[in-house]
Structures are given as structure tokens and as C-alpha cells.
Amino acid sequence: MVSSRFLRLIMLLCLVSSSFSSTTASPSNSSVSDQTLRPQEELQKLKLIRKELQKINKPAVKTIQAISLFLQSPDGDTMDCVLSHQQPAFDNPLLQGQRPMDPPEIPKGYTEDDESYEDSQLWSLSGESCPEGTIPIRRTSEQDMLRASSVQRFGRKIRRVRRDSTSNGHEHAVGYVTGRQYYGAKASINVWSPRVTSQYEFSLSQIWVIAGSFTHDLNTIEAGWQISPELYGDTYPRFFTYWTSDAYRSTGCYNLLCSGFVQTNRRIAIGAAISPRSSYRGGQFDISLLIWKDPKHGHWWLQFGSGTLVGYWPAFLFTHLRQHGSMVQFGGEIVNTRPGGSHTSTQMGSGHFSGEGFGKAAYFRNLQVVDWDNTLIPVSNIKILADHPNCYDIRGGTNRVWGNYFYYGGPGKNPRCP
């Protein structure tokens, strides 16, 4: 017997299809057949969605309802506490039957002296936590997948051809280093809530560890914060991870939405909203992220804040990154869908240009890389790139307190960025 919830989903899909048809068909070429609902196709899509959800959402030992950001009521994310060896990563045949790895050796030169106020995650404000032996995973819903432009591409970035191009509307303001072998990177990233004006656009600030070419064999490891209405259904800044080993073609995904990243921490939820955020001329908050390659086993580990290990990307996921990175990037990225034929008003960073400085423009500080000897060292010969400087820009500097740093971002559409 078909459940009432299932019927409601069918009705929702039909309404979406009907609305889409009525707004896109022109009077001159529309016909009855154009607007005929196809319930069999909708049912097939729902079956596909449910099949994907079964792969993503694992059985929960405990469920925690997160607090909504504004209403302070339990209507935010649903966090499932999943046994650590049953998380999506262990669907990979190379990991089946195994347990998460023990913590690696921390890079030499690491200190907590430069760590600022520790941001918290909203789901943990309820006072509840996941029990030992489990990890928190943000539950993916039917609505999440219905928002996606493609069920098959859910949880993946749109493929791009080159980092320094405007392929697929991706725009950047980044600092980067290249020309050496890189075994990790570290930075403190200022957290804001930039405005994202379209469901299919996003704004993020992150670290990239990169190897390979920008065409077909690009390997990347990525972590930072992002606002993505399509992925999360809201406009909160969220802690995220990403990876690919073939230039975003068929491998990799955000967070734990595929078999990839192995989470080891029961208190940090990847994909969870971050609070507090920075405000213009107000309080400034940042998150410190460290990515490094374990010299013993070769896996790439991620640390959030002061000594909090989140988990790791297994070395076998990659080709070039099995050895080391050839480039490290820090900075912001947005997607510009050119609504109405003009540049998007989606903001990067704080939504203000770099020249406004502290308390107004977003920043990265204490930029470091990990060398062959598992030692953290300040970046040297950093280059900066803004591919649309009239829309989003970047300017760097160095001092004794922040080390190597830069301000970056912008409002998007403005008189100089039509």
C-alpha cells in the first residue's frame, strides 16, 4: 500500500513539473502534450531518490534534532549518530571490514597560540552528543534531493575545466603557491554569511590541496565553509569538505555524501551550520583548518580548531595525491549564473572589497604549508589571483601576529561589475 507521505511527494513533484512547464512554454509552441504530467516518470524519479537515500543515510544509534539558527527551536538539521564503521566511506570495497585509523603524528611546528575563538556548531547547542563509537551525520532528505539539478549529480560540484578560467561561471579570489612538493596546508578562515541570490549559486571560502592537471586528472582535497541553498536548503554558513581525483567528472563529493572521507570525530558534524558568524564593524570569528598527509600511512587528515581531528581522506582515493600536492590555494569561490543576463549579486566573503580591511572585509590569516619533513612552515612566494577583480578582489600582506594573510571578497554586481 502506498503511504500518504509517498503520495504527497508524488503530488509535490507533479506541482513542480506543472509549474515549470507553465513558466517555460511559450504560447506559440505550447501544446497539450507539453504540459501533460507523466506520473510514471515521477514515480521512477522517486524510486531513484529513495535508492540513493538508502545509500547515504545509514542506520542511526541515536538521532539529534538541531536548533534552528533564528527560531531557536528544534526544526533545524537532523543529525544521525551512526556507528563509525558503518559510515558511507566503508561502502568502498577497499575499506569494508576495517575500522577508522588511529590519529597520526601532528606536523612539527604546530602550536595553538594563533588559534582564536572556537566557533561552535548549532546542532551541538542542544546539549546532546553522539555516543562513543559513533559519528554525527547530517541526514539527507527527499527535499534535499528534489532541490538538486540532477539526482545523479547530487552532492557534487559542477565540473570545471581550469582553475584560472571562468568555466561554468565559477569565479575566484585566491592566494596560491606552486613549484614545490606540498604535504598539507593550514589557515584561519574568517566566517561570514554572504548573500547568495540564486538556489543554484553558492559562495565558499576554503583551502585546496591540488595535484595533477586542470583537465582530466585533477586531484583535489578541499575544506572550508560554504553557503549553498541547493545543497542544504538554507543560507547558513556550513563547515564542508570535498574531494575529486578526476577533475570533478565522476569521483568525489561534498561531506559524507559518497564513499570517500572517513570521519573519526563524534563531536564535529560535516555539513553543519557554524555559529557565531562575523558582522560588519562587529565581532570577527574564524575557524582554523589544517590538512596534512600522514607520513606513516599516507592518508590526508583534517583538523578543525585546536587539536580536533575530524577524519581523513584515504590515500587510495587519489592518483597524484598519493604522493604529494603540487599546488595549494586559499580563498573564495562563487558561482555566477548571470540571472537576467547580468552578473550575479551573490557575495564573496563579507560582500565587501578587500580594501575595506579588518572588520569589514573577509580574511585568511596564518597561511602555512606542510613540507616533506612533516613540518609546518609559512608560505613563501604566494601569488594572488582575482579573475573578476571588479566583482571580487584580493590583497595580501604579512605581519608578526597574522603571519601571511590576505583580505578578499566583494559584492558581485555593482557599477564596475555589470
Side-chain angles (χ1 to χ4, degrees):
M1 185 174 179
V2 180
S3 68
S4 59
R5 186 181 181 204
F6 194 63
L7 286 171
R8 286 198 300 272
L9 279 168
I10 295 173
M11 292 174 66
L12 175 61
L13 278 166
C14 291
L15 286 170
V16 169
S17 299
S18 176
S19 173
F20 182 79
S21 298
S22 63
T23 56
T24 57
S26 64
S28 60
N29 62 8
S30 63
S31 66
V32 175
S33 62
D34 289 334
Q35 300 188 35
T36 300
L37 299 177
R38 295 177 287 276
Q40 284 302 115
E41 291 184 20
E42 308 299 351
L43 280 170
Q44 194 62 36
K45 183 175 182 179
L46 279 172
K47 287 180 181 178
L48 180 59
I49 287 174
R50 291 200 159 185
K51 184 178 179 181
E52 288 298 309
L53 289 175
Q54 286 179 346
K55 289 194 295 186
I56 295 171
N57 293 326
K58 303 300 183 181
V61 173
K62 177 182 177 180
T63 295
I64 300 170
Q65 194 70 37
I67 294 174
S68 172
L69 197 59
F70 296 113
L71 301 179
Q72 292 296 300
S73 61
D75 60 355
D77 297 332
T78 299
M79 296 295 174
D80 289 327
C81 300
V82 175
L83 290 171
S84 59
H85 64 280
Q86 292 183 355
Q87 63 183 289
F90 290 91
D91 290 342
N92 191 305
L94 294 176
L95 286 178
Q96 285 181 2
Q98 298 185 31
R99 297 275 175 166
M101 298 289 293
D102 291 330
E105 176 188 349
I106 199 80
K108 294 183 284 289
Y110 172 80
T111 66
E112 298 182 3
D113 295 342
D114 65 342
E115 310 296 0
S116 67
Y117 178 86
E118 286 297 313
D119 280 32
S120 60
Q121 295 190 309
L122 288 170
W123 75 277
S124 63
L125 297 181
S126 64
E128 294 191 73
S129 62
C130 284
E132 292 284 353
T134 69
I135 63 162
I137 301 180
R138 180 183 181 270
R139 185 184 298 174
T140 302
S141 67
E142 288 101 336
Q143 287 73 25
D144 290 333
M145 300 201 82
L146 285 169
R147 280 194 309 273
S149 55
S150 163
V151 174
Q152 290 81 0
R153 296 289 300 175
F154 176 74
R156 296 179 180 176
K157 285 188 178 182
I158 299 171
R159 181 178 165 245
R160 291 156 296 171
V161 177
R162 294 186 60 84
R163 167 70 67 228
D164 56 354
S165 76
T166 59
S167 171
N168 287 317
H170 290 248
E171 300 180 16
H172 308 84
V174 297
Y176 65 96
V177 290
T178 187
R180 298 175 60 183
Q181 296 178 358
Y182 303 100
Y183 295 82
K186 181 178 184 292
S188 294
I189 310 175
N190 197 197
V191 179
W192 290 81
S193 286
R195 182 176 67 249
V196 176
T197 58
S198 165
Q199 176 173 310
Y200 297 109
E201 296 180 348
F202 64 63
S203 181
L204 60 76
S205 298
Q206 68 173 51
I207 300 172
W208 292 261
V209 178
I210 300 169
S213 68
F214 283 98
T215 53
H216 64 283
D217 63 347
L218 180 71
N219 286 204
T220 74
I221 287 170
E222 309 172 27
W225 61 261
Q226 69 177 163
I227 291 178
S228 175
E230 178 184 7
L231 190 58
Y232 304 107
D234 57 36
T235 55
Y236 306 156
R238 293 172 175 271
F239 172 49
F240 81 96
T241 63
Y242 200 90
W243 68 276
T244 182
S245 62
D246 64 351
Y248 307 97
R249 292 169 185 258
S250 61
T251 62
C253 63
Y254 283 111
N255 309 334
L256 304 181
L257 293 173
C258 67
S259 176
F261 187 84
V262 179
Q263 183 163 335
T264 60
N265 192 290
R266 68 186 180 96
R267 300 185 184 278
I268 297 293
I270 305 174
I274 300 171
S275 180
R277 289 85 37 80
S278 302
S279 59
Y280 191 76
R281 294 184 176 177
Q284 300 300 299
F285 304 97
D286 55 39
I287 56 173
S288 294
L289 298 179
L290 167 62
I291 299 168
W292 83 102
K293 195 175 197 296
D294 175 11
K296 184 176 181 181
H297 299 288
H299 306 314
W300 292 86
W301 283 79
L302 173 64
Q303 179 176 290
F304 179 99
S306 300
T308 303
L309 286 177
V310 181
Y312 60 93
W313 292 269
F316 65 74
L317 294 174
F318 305 102
T319 52
H320 300 287
L321 282 175
R322 289 192 189 188
Q323 285 75 45
H324 53 76
S326 57
M327 177 185 287
V328 171
Q329 293 189 351
F330 310 86
E333 176 184 353
I334 65 97
V335 168
N336 173 25
T337 60
R338 297 194 60 82
S342 60
H343 195 283
T344 182
S345 295
T346 285
Q347 300 172 336
M348 180 189 294
S350 69
H352 293 263
F353 286 115
S354 62
E356 295 196 39
F358 184 77
K360 300 174 184 177
Y363 62 79
F364 276 63
R365 62 182 180 89
N366 292 310
L367 307 179
Q368 296 175 282
V369 293
V370 181
D371 70 6
W372 63 272
D373 193 34
N374 196 35
T375 301
L376 268 168
I377 58 174
V379 297
S380 58
N381 299 317
I382 187 168
K383 300 179 176 66
I384 58 174
L385 167 71
D387 45 32
H388 287 72
N390 289 331
C391 310
Y392 316 99
D393 69 356
I394 181 171
R395 62 177 65 189
T398 181
N399 63 38
R400 291 179 60 187
V401 178
W402 275 18
N404 289 284
Y405 69 88
F406 60 77
Y407 291 101
Y408 72 102
K413 184 179 180 180
N414 69 80
R416 294 190 298 124
C417 174

